[in-house]
Amino acid sequence: MKKQLVITTLTAVISLSTISGIVPVDHNEYKASAATINSQNNQQAVEAKADQLIQTAKSLIGKSTYSNTVYKPTYPYKFSCATFLMYIFEKNGVDLATYNEDYMMKQGSYVAKSQLQKGDLLFFDSRGGSIPNHVAMYIGDNKVIHMADPKQNIVISDLDSKPYYKDNYITARRVLPTLLPSNPATKGDNIVTKAYSLKDKVTMGTVNSPSSLRFTATGFVDYIYKTNGVTLRTTNIKELMKKGTTVSKANLKKGDLIYFNSVVGSSNPTVVGIYAGDHRIIVPSSNGVTSRVLFVDYYKKHYITAKRVF
């Protein structure tokens, strides 16, 4: 699924038009993490969330049809393999921030096929390469649930049932530990959770009124951090970029602020985003509060710096 999607309902919770694109992935590059060790200490939450995801996915069987050009998150649903998973994760409060299989394959940590757990994402390429054109979710007992194709739609498949699953398998990624708060939750976790909780509740504009949840982009950032005990003392984006200490892209942590320009090479920030972990960012703008991944060309080209403010 690499075509630009058409949203057919105003209730869609993610604007998909700017996330499309293909980024070649060497999946071997991402095998360093030991997915069997959960440094987040949130395994109980992971298992509970995986069960919720599976329940939601199964509830859509017979109610959804395949489409790689239309995303319709209301009945009768229309999904590709990737938007199906994006939807069920977001429906259960976990934001993948992308509908591209290749971007999903860069999230989380590598997990061996022999160590799969519920909620893991499995990637396949029927063209014999390493850029995925299909993704499924592991549900236990050697089975996956996925939006298979226009004939089957959403199905549960045994990984030994067809040569396809062996011959076209690329890798698997474990995303749930890092996409969920740690135990205990860090300040960064709380900032990200608060931002996501208000994502579809705030009104963006030219004034800041916390009581009515009306904000400018930087006013939203200021409010999120203030409610978590971090006082930024400015809603001017240039002044905001002076706050905190500079951190590299390689060392980003949840709650870091990332700045982007509108003209490539400029040091003047026009966009600020909250880093949400696993390459995801929460971006407030006049169009609303949206989530993206840093892999998108725009964010790679317009990146200025990142700051840690607590």
Side-chain angles (χ1 to χ4, degrees), residues 202-206 213-218 220 284-289:
V202 300
T203 300
M204 305 302 293
T206 58
L213 293 180
R214 299 178 67 88
F215 300 103
T216 64
T218 50
F220 174 79
S285 70
S286 58
N287 296 321
V289 179

Side-chain angles (χ1 to χ4, degrees), residues 2 13 17 51 74 95 109 136 150 155 163 166 169 180 186-187 209 222 236 244 248 264 271 278 282 294:
K2 299 301 176 192
V13 293
S17 60
D51 287 337
T74 56
D95 189 22
S109 55
V155 293
K166 180 180 179 180
Y169 180 81
L180 295 176
T186 65
K187 188 179 288 290
S209 176
D222 181 65
N236 179 288
S248 68
V264 175
V271 175
D278 263 349
I282 303 167
L294 285 172

Side-chain angles (χ1 to χ4, degrees), residues 77-293:
Y77 303 91
K78 289 184 180 294
F79 299 122
S80 68
C81 61
T83 58
F84 167 58
L85 292 180
M86 181 188 74
Y87 173 80
I88 64 172
F89 270 77
E90 188 167 27
K91 194 73 173 175
N92 287 282
V94 182
D95 189 22
L96 293 172
T98 182
Y99 68 86
N100 278 332
E101 300 95 317
D102 44 344
Y103 293 163
M104 288 181 184
M105 200 169 79
K106 288 184 174 183
Q107 296 190 57
S109 55
Y110 166 79
V111 58
K113 206 172 183 181
S114 60
Q115 297 175 334
L116 292 172
Q117 294 180 7
K118 293 178 181 179
D120 290 344
L121 301 182
L122 279 66
F123 298 88
F124 305 86
D125 183 10
S126 59
R127 301 156 301 191
S130 61
I131 299 175
N133 63 0
H134 191 64
V135 59
M137 184 177 72
Y138 191 71
I139 64 172
D141 297 324
N142 203 48
K143 293 180 174 62
V144 293
I145 189 166
H146 55 138
M147 175 63 84
D149 54 47
K151 291 183 178 180
Q152 299 180 86
N153 297 312
I154 298 172
V155 293
I156 295 173
S157 304
D158 190 291
L159 291 173
D160 294 328
S161 62
K162 295 180 180 179
Y164 171 91
Y165 300 110
K166 180 180 179 180
D167 296 344
N168 300 302
Y169 180 81
I170 303 174
T171 190
R173 306 292 292 183
R174 183 158 297 159
V175 296
L176 282 180
T178 51
L179 295 190
L180 295 176
S182 304
N183 180 29
T186 65
K187 188 179 288 290
D189 284 324
N190 292 333
I191 287 170
V192 170
T193 298
K194 182 68 173 180
Y196 274 131
S197 73
L198 295 179
K199 185 177 166 188
D200 301 309
K201 298 177 182 177
V202 300
T203 300
M204 305 302 293
T206 58
V207 298
N208 290 305
S209 176
S211 61
S212 57
L213 293 180
R214 299 178 67 88
F215 300 103
T216 64
T218 50
F220 174 79
V221 171
D222 181 65
Y223 175 76
I224 294 299
Y225 283 76
K226 186 178 294 183
T227 58
N228 282 281
V230 181
T231 304
L232 298 174
R233 293 189 175 87
T234 184
T235 56
N236 179 288
I237 192 168
K238 289 184 179 180
E239 292 301 314
L240 189 59
M241 197 171 74
K242 296 177 183 178
K243 302 284 185 178
T245 56
T246 301
V247 293
S248 68
K249 268 188 179 182
N251 292 311
L252 289 171
K253 293 183 179 180
K254 289 181 180 180
D256 288 342
L257 292 175
I258 307 179
Y259 297 88
F260 306 90
N261 56 39
S262 56
V263 178
V264 175
S266 172
S267 60
N268 293 322
T270 55
V271 175
V272 59
I274 300 170
Y275 187 67
D278 263 349
H279 312 287
R280 302 166 303 150
I281 50 174
I282 303 167
V283 184
S285 70
S286 58
N287 296 321
V289 179
T290 55
S291 55
R292 298 287 186 265
V293 286

Side-chain angles (χ1 to χ4, degrees), residues 53-62 84 88 139 145 154 156:
L53 294 171
I54 293 167
Q55 183 178 0
T56 300
K58 288 180 176 179
S59 74
L60 294 170
I61 294 175
F84 167 58
I88 64 172
I139 64 172
I145 189 166
I154 298 172
I156 295 173

